[in-house]
Amino acid sequence: MTYTSDGNESIPTDFDDVVQQVSTGTLAHQRIDELLLEAHERYSDVDEGLLAHYIPVLGQVEPETFAISMSHVGGTVHGVGDCHHQFSIQSISKMFVYALVLQEHGHEVVHEKIGVNNTGMPFNSVMAVELNNGHPMNPMVNAGAIATTEMIAGKSAAKKWENVREGLSAFAGRPLTLDDEVYESESEANERNKALGRLLKSYGQLDGDPNNAVDIYTKQCSLNVTAHDLAVMGATLADGGINPVTGQQVVSADVCRDTLATVATNGLYERSGDWLFEIGIPAKSGVSGGIVAVAPGKGAIGAFSPRLDMAGNSVRGQLAIGHLSRALGLNLFASAPDSAR
Ligand code: GLU
């Protein structure tokens, strides 16, 4: 039996030499346009939720903006609403930086160092770190994300940032740029993340300067994307690591599998269990109002609407993705009785 550095017994594994087969079904892609329109119309009037307020500029956005995009692994991207409206990627960056770090360091090292288990606590919890002897727990909470960003290749902070920006741009299939206003606003309001960085350092979980790691993390959260970009980025993880629009192999198929498993258990903050129970596909949300949901082997949905529930997830985004997951048969846990019987 092996143990990860969070002190937990890891589940037994003994299948490295077994060739992995993949079975994911097909996507009814001829219905995507019609279903996107249906979901957009159905949830446009929902006005529940609040804008994020703890990063000052995020509280000043237009609350009605609503976009849903879907990219099929075949490379066609569909969209309805404000699909080219730009917003900062925020926490959604965590899953793509994690994928780059898995690619760089491999399954075992990253599993051991960052972990994969849900904390059950808010994304910026200090208590979660303390309760787990300084272990960051998983890459989708801020402590784990800061530790993950620190593992990006590059000898200097500038090189690491360049690798983050280039890596995320390869997922999107276009050069992503920094939203300076968001970066400055968040840099002035990120004392808690700096505290998390120092706490990790005190436990020996960061090698370098914690302020550099937090600064790169703040920059990665401030990269601008659109719902269209999120759909393409997610579809790259649905497509064995090949960006379906550019054809570039961004990460390996194994990295996609590991990333999506971690996202499934941790992607919707402390509502991740509810999400998997109701919607049934790996998804990651961010406090600016974006959500990306990935159906392995089929495609991905990028949704944006800035009003959030109490955990920080876009209200309309969750509804739209739930609708599409059901109507397109994306739920990983759903089955029907064998028709040959
Ligand atoms: N940059 C935000 C933070 O670190 C991201 C939060 C989020 O989207 O969950 O607080």
Side-chain angles (χ1 to χ4, degrees), residues 17 52 58 60 66 68 71 89 103 142 165 173 200 229 232 234 250 262 265 313 330 336:
D17 56 340
L58 296 185
Q60 295 157 19
F66 186 22
I68 321 170
S71 172
I89 187 169
Q103 185 67 44
N142 285 11
R165 204 183 62 74
L200 289 171
D229 290 329
V232 175
V250 182
T262 311
T265 49
N313 303 307
L330 307 181

Side-chain angles (χ1 to χ4, degrees), residues 40-102:
H40 196 269
E41 263 173 41
R42 187 165 161 146
Y43 303 114
S44 292
D45 291 339
V46 175
D47 62 0
E48 284 155 40
L50 296 171
L51 298 179
H53 50 274
Y54 74 101
I55 300 172
V57 293
L58 296 185
Q60 295 157 19
V61 300
E62 165 52 53
E64 291 305 329
T65 315
F66 186 22
I68 321 170
S69 241
M70 179 158 194
S71 172
H72 174 233
V73 287
T76 33
V77 190
H78 308 251
V80 59
D82 309 303
C83 287
H84 295 284
H85 170 81
Q86 304 220 49
F87 53 92
S88 55
I89 187 169
Q90 296 298 335
S91 250
I92 300 171
S93 64
K94 292 170 179 166
M95 71 191 267
F96 297 102
V97 172
Y98 180 60
L100 297 173
V101 164
L102 275 169

Side-chain angles (χ1 to χ4, degrees), residues 54-55 58 89-92 94 123-124 140 142 146 186 190 193 217-218 221-222 269 284-288 311-312:
Y54 74 101
I55 300 172
L58 296 185
I89 187 169
Q90 296 298 335
S91 250
I92 300 171
K94 292 170 179 166
F123 68 98
N124 56 2
M140 304 300 143
N142 285 11
I146 293 164
E186 190 164 344
N190 69 352
N193 285 341
Y217 165 76
T218 307
C221 289
S222 308
Y269 306 111
K284 181 75 199 87
S285 65
V287 289
S288 52

